[in-house]
Amino acid sequence: MSTLLLVRHGLTAMTGPVLAGRTPGVHLDERGVKQAAAVAERIAAVPLTAIVTSPLDRCLETAGAIRDAQIAAGREPDWQVDPRIVECDYGDWTGRPFKELMKEPMWKVVQGQPSAASFPGGEALTDMWARATGAIRDWDKKLGDDAVWVACAHGDIIKAIVADALGLHLDQYQRIVPDPCSVSVIRYTSTRPYVIRVNDTGGDLAGFAPPKKRRRRTKAAEQDATIGGGAGGGSV
């Protein structure tokens, strides 16, 4: 079973008041740099197989902090930049303040029926959903059963991936909130994904390190849902 640590990038000067989208040259601000260092320190307890990141600067910088912490711990995870987990293309909405966008007729569609939303001059949310979830499943298959890996991406991308893992329709993905530099954990098996954590901004991640000796369990037993709840600690 592979384990994915989904990390949202840290804060930028545009995060919050403006829809940054794919605006070039948007870097982490002082707050974001501190957030990236903190999440990198938390993840340093886990030996990573790979780090996969969006190509936008704010994700490259956040993922770079995670890689640096791994290297400082004597590891060198595979580094990959994947454009399939880049931010949604918001088209003509890019760079506009949210207080303006909330007056647009399509704002209510984005909120209530995202599957019907297509940004003018940009991308449909259904297309964003398909490319992001497809990328994650491709990497999961490529990295193998015992991989523990990071994907560093954007809010809407993370919401789509978590919703997919929960078996939710795209129209319900607005119920998921990933804060800057939060970690959401998904464990993939051949039968189903398990969502272990969502929007974790301070919890101990050491328990997600792969065990040195695997318990002698059948593959089916490892992938089955635990009846009654289980013992916690990231176990399934």
Side-chain angles (χ1 to χ4, degrees):
M1 297 183 290
S2 76
T3 302
L4 167 64
L5 310 182
L6 265 175
V7 179
R8 187 182 170 199
H9 63 80
L11 284 166
T12 75
M14 296 181 76
T15 309
V18 176
L19 182 60
R22 298 183 183 180
T23 302
V26 178
H27 298 276
L28 298 181
D29 63 14
E30 184 176 350
R31 301 168 301 166
V33 170
K34 291 179 179 178
Q35 289 176 326
V39 76
E41 183 178 356
R42 292 172 60 209
I43 295 174
V46 183
L48 297 178
T49 304
I51 300 171
V52 181
T53 179
S54 157
L56 294 184
D57 290 325
R58 55 195 186 270
C59 283
L60 291 171
E61 291 162 2
T62 304
I66 295 169
R67 179 177 59 177
D68 290 346
Q70 291 284 311
I71 292 172
R75 314 179 198 114
E76 194 166 352
D78 187 28
W79 172 269
Q80 298 288 337
V81 178
D82 191 335
R84 293 177 297 173
I85 60 171
V86 74
E87 180 65 285
C88 182
D89 183 356
Y90 298 113
D92 297 344
W93 282 30
T94 302
R96 293 179 59 190
F98 281 106
K99 63 182 180 181
E100 291 182 6
L101 295 174
M102 292 173 69
K103 300 175 184 178
E104 294 282 353
M106 198 179 70
W107 180 265
K108 290 184 178 180
V109 179
V110 173
Q111 295 299 311
Q113 193 182 2
S115 62
S118 183
F119 295 97
E123 185 176 28
L125 283 174
T126 50
D127 292 337
M128 179 273 290
W129 169 288
R131 65 171 168 82
T133 56
I136 293 302
R137 291 180 179 274
D138 284 350
W139 281 110
D140 168 68
K141 183 177 180 180
K142 180 177 180 178
L143 293 172
D145 287 344
D146 294 325
V148 181
W149 60 290
V150 159
C152 186
H154 308 268
D156 276 343
I157 298 293
I158 291 171
K159 287 156 63 175
I161 294 166
V162 173
D164 173 70
L166 288 169
L168 298 177
H169 192 278
L170 176 59
D171 287 345
Q172 290 156 337
Y173 98 132
Q174 297 289 26
R175 303 180 184 194
I176 299 163
V177 178
D179 290 333
C181 276
S182 63
V183 180
S184 298
V185 183
I186 304 171
R187 185 162 289 157
Y188 287 91
T189 76
S190 61
T191 55
R192 67 180 70 83
Y194 292 92
V195 178
I196 312 296
R197 294 189 189 179
V198 176
N199 197 33
D200 184 336
T201 57
D204 183 6
L205 299 172
F208 294 105
K212 293 181 180 179
K213 291 186 178 181
R214 299 183 66 85
R215 290 173 294 173
R216 297 182 64 84
R217 302 177 67 197
T218 65
K219 187 174 182 180
E222 288 180 337
Q223 298 181 5
D224 287 346
T226 304
I227 306 301
S235 63
V236 172

